[in-house]
């Protein structure tokens, strides 16, 4: 596997200090960037001209990961030449959130084939039910085929997100790459670094993603009672206090961000469905804990592979960047410390991360995690 990385900006163009080496040998080109950089045709057209045989996939972000740097307003590009693996691409329009499950099934069915080992998916970050898209993918893929990826982002604007697959970037779209071949090894680690804050509560009333009651009490009032002075800063301050939801296994809590509050109805809207009878718990984190979570994700990835991957795709929750501020690159450096300098790193900050809890399990939608997907060829 050979990996080449470069950056393009609308004002300067390509980073000429990085020599081109792959060109028509590239099988996959990952392009993550701001909406402005992604929509500008000059960079995309240059990529397609230089890498005519590659699948070009990418999305808008809340920050681009380029090595151990977090950059903005650029097109961060990674081109990969696989020695043996074969790739297949697929995309589908998402016709509203209610179409999410079927959209996942359509993607999976388009990628079915002998030797399929992994699926990378990128999708709209605002008009999709990420949980249902992930369930649709899992329902239509053979056992043992892992799925990782993420929801595109729009910085802190939350207005429009874009997904790119070969042509011009589109909204309301999901795109995927299928990887085929028995010499390709793909492993994943996904960790948060969030710590419990307060006791578990039972969800006694919820509708879809709207949480009405915990332990029979109004959800928002109970939530605010734990936040103290931070309650006055809602909903923005909810970034610091996401909720963990679980059903049976106490080790399988899924972190969910708070998207909105309704003081009149005393409800909390989360980034995902809330099953009645589930257990909910407020979480909190410090930068050190989040950095530790990133290192743990890399360690989980490398323990499954047995060695450092050749390339690692990092998809981290946008809220982690907002929380860590100037120290955000520390979580990328933590991943680098685990893998060593030979592993090339790329990725983006997202509105949701898709990964299994453990290798070999079905994928889940996560919020505010660091998800690491490692690629190597034997």
């Amino acid at each position: 596997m050979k990996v080449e990385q470069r950056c393009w900006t609308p004002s300067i163009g390509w980073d000429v200090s990085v020599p081109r080496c792959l060109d028509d040998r590239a099988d996959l080109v990952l392009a993550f960037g701001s909406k402005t950089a992604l929509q500008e045709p000059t960079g995309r057209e240059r990529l397609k001209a230089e890498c005519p045989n590659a699948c070009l996939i990418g999305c808008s972000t809340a920050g681009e990961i380029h090595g151990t740097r977090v950059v903005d307003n650029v097109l961060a590009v990674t081109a990969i030449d696989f020695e043996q693996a074969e790739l297949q691409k697929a995309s589908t329009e998402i016709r509203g959130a209610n179409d999410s499950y079927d959209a996942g099934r359509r993607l999976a069915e388009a990628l079915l084939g002998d030797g399929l080992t992994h699926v990378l998916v990128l999708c709209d970050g605002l008009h999709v039910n990420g949980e249902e898209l992930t369930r649709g993918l899992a329902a239509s893929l053979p056992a043992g085929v892992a799925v990782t990826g993420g929801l595109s982002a729009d910085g802190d604007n939350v207005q429009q997100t874009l997904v790119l697959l070969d042509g011009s970037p589109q909204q309301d779209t999901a795109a995927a790459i299928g990887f085929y071949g028995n010499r390709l090894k793909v492993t994943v680690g996904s960790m948060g670094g969030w710590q419990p804050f307060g006791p578990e509560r039972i969800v006694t009333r919820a509708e879809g993603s709207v949480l009405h009651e915990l332990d029979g009490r109004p959800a928002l009032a109970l939530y605010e009672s734990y936040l103290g002075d931070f309650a006055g800063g809602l909903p923005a301050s909810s970034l610091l206090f996401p909720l963990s939801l679980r059903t049976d296994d106490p080790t399988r809590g899924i972190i969910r961000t708070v998207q909105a509050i309704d003081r009149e109805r005393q409800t909390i809207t989360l980034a995902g469905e809330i099953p009645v009878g589930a257990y909910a718990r407020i979480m909190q984190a410090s930068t050190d804990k989040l950095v530790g979570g990133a290192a743990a994700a890399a360690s989980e990835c490398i323990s499954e592979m047995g060695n450092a991957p050749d390339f690692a795709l990092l998809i981290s929750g946008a809220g982690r960047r907002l929380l860590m501020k100037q120290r955000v690159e520390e979580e990328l450096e933590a991943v680098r410390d685990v893998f060593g300098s030979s592993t090339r790193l790329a990725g983006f900050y997202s509105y949701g991360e898709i990964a299994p809890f453990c290798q070999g399990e079905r994928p889940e939608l996560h919020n505010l995690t660091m998800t690491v997907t490692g690629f190597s060829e034997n």
Side-chain angles (χ1 to χ4, degrees):
M1 182 186 300
K2 296 181 177 63
V3 182
E4 175 187 334
Q5 294 182 297
R6 286 184 284 159
C7 280
W8 180 88
T9 59
S11 58
I12 300 174
W14 288 103
D15 179 2
V16 296
S17 66
V18 179
R20 299 201 314 270
C21 58
L22 295 184
D23 294 338
D24 61 357
R25 290 175 294 165
D27 299 302
L28 176 66
V29 173
L30 300 168
F32 303 118
S34 65
K35 285 193 303 183
T36 300
L38 207 64
Q39 289 173 314
E40 169 58 51
T42 306
R44 299 197 317 271
E45 290 171 358
R46 176 79 172 271
L47 279 177
K48 289 303 295 181
E50 291 184 358
C51 304
N53 301 317
C55 294
L56 170 59
I57 188 171
C59 65
S60 59
T61 79
E64 298 85 66
I65 296 172
H66 191 67
T68 56
R69 295 168 51 216
V70 178
V71 291
D72 293 295
N73 303 315
V74 307
L75 197 61
V77 174
T78 300
I80 304 175
D81 172 25
F82 292 96
E83 294 179 12
Q84 296 291 331
E86 296 184 359
L87 278 62
Q88 171 89 15
K89 62 190 176 185
S91 68
T92 185
E93 179 187 3
I94 303 171
R95 298 182 286 269
N98 292 336
D99 183 47
S100 300
Y101 182 86
D102 289 337
R105 292 190 67 112
R106 291 194 295 270
L107 282 180
E109 289 165 1
L111 296 174
L112 291 176
D114 293 341
L116 179 63
T117 61
H118 187 81
V119 173
L120 168 65
V121 59
L122 302 174
C123 70
D124 184 279
L126 297 176
H127 305 131
V128 66
N129 182 323
E131 281 186 304
E132 287 300 299
L133 179 90
T134 304
R135 288 172 185 162
L137 279 161
S140 300
L141 289 171
V145 175
V147 179
T148 59
L151 278 57
S152 55
D154 183 23
D156 56 3
N157 299 312
V158 196
Q159 294 179 350
Q160 180 194 52
T161 68
L162 300 173
V163 172
L164 171 69
L165 186 67
D166 286 342
S168 60
Q170 304 290 329
Q171 57 181 335
D172 303 325
T173 296
I177 301 292
F179 296 83
Y180 307 78
N182 57 18
R183 289 188 58 184
L184 179 67
K185 180 120 185 217
V186 184
T187 59
V188 61
S190 185
M191 295 287 178
W194 299 86
Q195 300 297 311
F197 174 51
E200 280 192 324
R201 305 282 183 172
I202 297 176
V203 176
T204 48
R205 185 183 168 207
E207 296 175 305
S209 61
V210 180
L211 177 60
H212 289 264
E213 294 181 357
L214 292 167
D215 286 348
R217 298 169 60 185
L220 181 57
L222 186 58
Y223 181 68
E224 288 184 313
S225 70
Y226 284 96
L227 267 58
D229 293 341
F230 288 99
L234 288 173
S237 60
S238 65
L239 167 68
L240 305 174
F241 304 98
L243 292 183
S244 173
L245 296 174
R246 72 170 182 89
T247 51
D248 300 317
D249 189 339
T251 67
R252 296 298 180 96
I254 293 179
I255 300 294
R256 286 284 177 260
T257 54
V258 175
Q259 291 188 322
I261 63 170
D262 187 326
R263 295 195 184 280
E264 183 176 344
R265 299 172 64 204
Q266 286 291 294
T267 61
I268 301 171
T269 301
L270 301 182
E273 294 184 10
I274 309 163
V276 173
Y279 296 89
R281 198 171 195 180
I282 300 174
M283 309 293 281
Q284 63 179 347
S286 64
T287 294
D288 289 342
K289 294 291 186 183
L290 296 181
V291 170
S299 296
E300 182 178 355
C301 182
I302 204 171
S303 68
E304 293 289 341
M305 186 168 286
N307 54 270
D310 298 318
F311 169 70
L313 177 63
L314 314 184
I315 301 179
S316 185
R320 295 169 68 92
R321 183 182 184 189
L322 291 174
L323 192 151
M324 288 189 278
K325 298 181 177 149
Q326 298 95 324
R327 295 181 61 189
V328 66
E329 291 180 348
E330 290 184 26
E331 72 169 350
L332 310 183
E333 292 163 358
V335 173
R336 165 69 72 219
D337 289 343
V338 173
F339 286 152
S341 60
S342 63
T343 301
R344 306 295 285 272
L345 307 178
F348 67 99
Y349 283 85
S350 74
Y351 285 169
E353 307 81 59
I354 295 172
F357 269 110
C358 297
Q359 195 77 21
E361 296 188 358
R362 67 181 179 87
E364 305 274 1
L365 175 70
H366 305 265
N367 293 128
L368 300 172
T369 65
M370 168 60 85
T371 292
V372 180
T373 305
F375 296 82
S376 286
E377 282 187 296
N378 297 326

